[in-house]
Amino acid sequence: QVQLVESGGALVQSGGSLRLSCAASGKVSSIITMDWYRQAPGKQREKVARFSRTDTAEYADFVKGRFTLSRDDVKNMMYLEMNSLKPEDTAVYYCHAAAALGSLYDFWGQGTQVTVSS
C-alpha cells in the first residue's frame, strides 16, 4: 500500500503563489509515476502535472509557465509550486501515485483546497 497526504492549500488572492506538498509513505519504492490532479466544483477531475516514468515533469497547458513540479526522494515528497494563480485555479488538488504491487494500483490523497479570490 501507498499512503499520500497533501498539504499547503489555502485562500490566496489572484496573482499570488502557493506551494502544495504531497508526502508519500508505505511501499514508495513501488511507485512508478506521481501526479497532481485537481477538481473544481461541478467539473471533472483533471491532470495538472506529472512525473513521467523517465522522471520528466510534464504540465497541462493551462498551468505551463506558472506551476513547477519538484520532488525530494530522500523525504518521499512531491511539491507543486503555483505562481500567478488565477480564480480558475480554484479547486481541490489531489496527489496521485501509480504503483506496481503485483498489478498496477492507483493511490490518492485526501486532497487540499486551493481557493483563489479575484
Side-chain angles (χ1 to χ4, degrees):
Q1 293 288 327
V2 172
Q3 293 79 43
L4 303 170
V5 179
E6 305 96 332
S7 61
L11 171 64
V12 64
Q13 288 190 333
S14 181
S17 298
L18 282 175
R19 187 175 83 153
L20 304 184
S21 300
C22 173
S25 60
K27 295 187 177 181
V28 294
S29 61
S30 67
I31 293 174
I32 297 174
T33 60
M34 290 188 74
D35 326 90
W36 284 99
Y37 283 74
R38 71 185 188 185
Q39 187 166 19
K43 294 188 177 182
Q44 289 190 331
R45 193 172 293 190
E46 58 185 0
K47 187 177 293 185
V48 176
R50 71 185 290 257
F51 278 113
S52 70
R53 288 174 179 258
T54 58
D55 285 342
T56 301
E58 300 173 349
Y59 301 93
D61 287 343
F62 51 80
V63 303
K64 278 182 181 176
R66 300 189 299 122
F67 291 11
T68 303
L69 197 59
S70 63
R71 63 197 291 173
D72 184 332
D73 290 337
V74 174
K75 296 181 179 179
N76 294 323
M77 297 289 294
M78 181 175 66
Y79 305 99
L80 185 67
E81 186 76 33
M82 306 188 295
N83 298 312
S84 302
L85 282 163
K86 306 174 182 180
E88 51 263 43
D89 293 319
T90 295
V92 178
Y93 284 71
Y94 296 92
C95 181
H96 165 264
L101 296 166
S103 298
L104 197 63
Y105 289 90
D106 292 309
F107 296 94
W108 294 90
Q110 82 289 349
T112 187
Q113 176 71 48
V114 172
T115 303
V116 184
S117 63
S118 57

